[in-house]
Amino acid sequence: MNHSDETLLDDADETVRVRLVVNGRKVACEVAPRETLVDCLRNSLELTGTHAGCEMGACGACLVQLDGRAVHSCLMFAVQADGAAINTIEGLSDSGLIADLQAEFHRRNALQCGFCTPGMLINAHELLSQVAQPSRDEIRDALSGNYCRCTGYEAIVDAIDAVAKARSAGGGAT
């Protein structure tokens, strides 16, 4: 083994300190430079509501909010999120921000196995934060990056539509 091979092996074991604000709490993690944000959240911070699905950004199971925008955490390295504010499904749930969405998903049976549900809720929350009363087509478009094998989507669209209407009317979900 020559000197440059030894340097490569040493670099492979190197970690980087990443500082984040996750669900309102300042945290620091030691990560490998190529560790994804989803793996950091799940493995280092034990926030397992963020799922690693396709690991290609196609299914939406890994969605989190990064500085207020939904991002695929499987497509980001944790080091890219250094200094960012991240909200996971746990943070949105604990804060009560999506309580009406969660209740309506439950009421309308808009979830079955639940694997895609965190990503669906994050996308629904982002949509309703931007558009008070989206059309059903706008809801479908917003969910186009979320893949679900169980529900057939109609109950999910119905739940989001009901919450949008209830919020616009000033009440809870119907």
Side-chain angles (χ1 to χ4, degrees), residues 88-155:
T88 66
I89 192 66
E90 292 92 346
L92 291 175
S93 182
D94 290 348
S95 70
L97 286 172
I98 59 170
D100 55 351
L101 280 166
Q102 290 173 303
E104 198 64 19
F105 267 57
H106 183 264
R107 191 176 88 67
R108 293 181 181 265
N109 199 29
L111 53 108
Q112 288 181 21
C113 81
F115 191 80
C116 70
T117 306
M120 293 281 187
L121 289 167
I122 285 175
N123 253 350
H125 173 66
E126 181 164 304
L127 172 65
L128 296 180
S129 297
Q130 296 171 355
V131 182
Q133 236 180 317
S135 68
R136 292 177 71 80
D137 283 341
E138 288 173 311
I139 295 169
R140 285 186 188 92
D141 186 56
L143 296 178
S144 65
N146 294 83
Y147 186 69
C148 177
R149 293 178 179 246
C150 302
T151 65
Y153 300 95
E154 207 57 33

Side-chain angles (χ1 to χ4, degrees), residues 99-101 103-104 107 159 161-174:
D100 55 351
L101 280 166
E104 198 64 19
R107 191 176 88 67
D161 185 49
V163 169
K165 287 176 179 166
R167 286 181 181 182
S168 291
T174 58

Side-chain angles (χ1 to χ4, degrees), residues 8 12 18 35 40 49 52 77 100-101 109 137 141 158:
L8 288 174
V18 176
E35 183 176 338
C40 174
F77 294 124
D100 55 351
L101 280 166
N109 199 29
D137 283 341
D141 186 56
D158 291 344

